[in-house]
Amino acid sequence: DSGVPTCGSGEHPCGSGCVRDLANEPENGCRLGCGEPCDAPDMGDASCGMDGRCTWECAPPFRRMGDECVCTPTDCDTIGYECGAPDDGCGMPLDCGSCTDGAVCTTGRCACTPDGFEPNDSNTSPTTRPGLDDSDDPPDVLLTANLDEMGDEDWFRFPITDGTDGGSPRMTVTLRNIPVGSDYTLSAYYVCGDAGDVSECTVGTADNYVGRGCVGGASGSSPETVEIKADCDRTFSLDDGGTLLVRVRAATWMNTCGPYEVVVRVR
């Protein structure tokens, strides 16, 4: 004798006796239960199987492992967040840090309010500034702007007139007031346009990304200066007029909205 009672049609064993088959619902312990609710682990949902017995499934993103529902959380680096409190994938918030110096966290990235010169992110869409004529030794031009996120670049365009002073334009550009903790790079380029361009980088390292120009070499937030002497190879003309392009970008951007300054001198 196995001790399990033999039950009639529509009945099933429960303890030492028989009970009528129940509605196949987890609240009843399912069709072949004894009237007590089905159990499920934390983050699990009880249900009734096709066999009329209790079972359970894990609520996503949890998954079944043995008698438990488990979930492996992600982290800030994996999802590419540098700020904010996104879900870890298991219903708990992560602490990905905060932004500084006025930067705002947007979808996990620190960004600043763009300055009034935007959009000027490439040499094909620079912000054009008033032209400069080397013959009247114009006063230094001061620009104040900011890089609003890592990867942002600022480009400025200055039309240059070769005046009647008997010499070629010489352009000195200085980048200063770089936010502490960041490392910005200054470049300047001279484009002659319709003429052969043999302009010379006299301060800085030659960089001919556009026309002929220079890139600064200072590190960190130290000021840096570049200088270009214009030389446009125009047949039958000594005119060395052209366009000065100034580029500011970040090698390291420390989540700061602090402004930088660019000073342009043309002689």
Side-chain angles (χ1 to χ4, degrees):
D1 186 357
S2 64
V4 178
T6 299
C7 302
S9 176
E11 295 183 332
H12 62 275
C14 186
S16 60
C18 295
V19 298
R20 295 190 62 80
D21 294 348
L22 306 173
N24 200 35
E25 299 171 352
E27 293 82 0
N28 299 326
C30 300
R31 181 170 60 87
L32 300 182
C34 293
E36 296 180 357
C38 298
D39 290 329
D42 290 344
M43 305 310 297
D45 294 319
S47 62
C48 294
M50 295 296 292
D51 61 356
R53 301 183 185 280
C54 292
T55 186
W56 51 271
E57 298 293 336
C58 297
F62 288 78
R63 68 182 187 280
R64 187 166 180 164
M65 182 176 290
D67 294 329
E68 297 181 328
C69 289
V70 299
C71 180
T72 303
T74 188
D75 56 42
C76 299
D77 289 339
T78 299
I79 61 176
Y81 271 56
E82 62 183 19
C83 59
D87 192 287
D88 68 352
C90 298
M92 296 297 291
L94 291 168
D95 181 3
C96 297
S98 58
C99 304
T100 60
D101 295 333
V104 177
C105 187
T106 303
T107 319
R109 309 298 295 178
C110 292
C112 311
T113 301
D115 58 48
F117 298 113
E118 295 288 349
N120 61 342
D121 298 333
S122 74
N123 63 295
T124 60
S125 60
T127 296
T128 299
R129 306 300 297 156
L132 300 171
D133 187 330
D134 71 332
S135 64
D136 55 12
D137 286 345
D140 295 352
V141 174
L142 173 64
L143 291 174
T144 301
N146 71 282
L147 297 178
D148 52 71
E149 62 180 348
M150 186 64 193
D152 183 28
E153 295 189 12
D154 288 345
W155 285 79
F156 303 95
R157 175 182 181 272
F158 297 86
I160 303 297
T161 298
D162 184 5
T164 58
D165 62 350
S168 299
R170 184 181 294 267
M171 294 141 290
T172 304
V173 184
T174 298
L175 173 64
R176 66 189 189 189
N177 195 36
I178 300 171
V180 175
S182 295
D183 183 1
Y184 290 3
T185 300
L186 169 69
S187 304
Y189 307 96
Y190 198 67
V191 180
C192 290
D194 61 348
D197 197 338
V198 289
S199 302
E200 180 184 3
C201 173
T202 55
V203 176
T205 301
D207 175 17
N208 298 331
Y209 178 69
V210 182
R212 301 293 289 271
C214 306
V215 60
S219 61
S221 56
S222 300
E224 53 186 63
T225 296
V226 296
E227 184 177 272
I228 304 172
K229 180 181 178 183
D231 189 354
C232 298
D233 188 14
R234 291 189 171 95
T235 305
F236 308 119
S237 174
L238 298 178
D239 180 9
D240 289 319
T243 300
L244 173 67
L245 292 170
V246 176
R247 177 191 196 188
V248 178
R249 53 197 169 100
T252 303
W253 187 77
M254 295 300 292
N255 299 347
T256 176
C257 298
Y260 64 81
E261 294 178 338
V262 168
V263 180
V264 179
R265 172 179 295 180
V266 179
R267 296 292 185 268

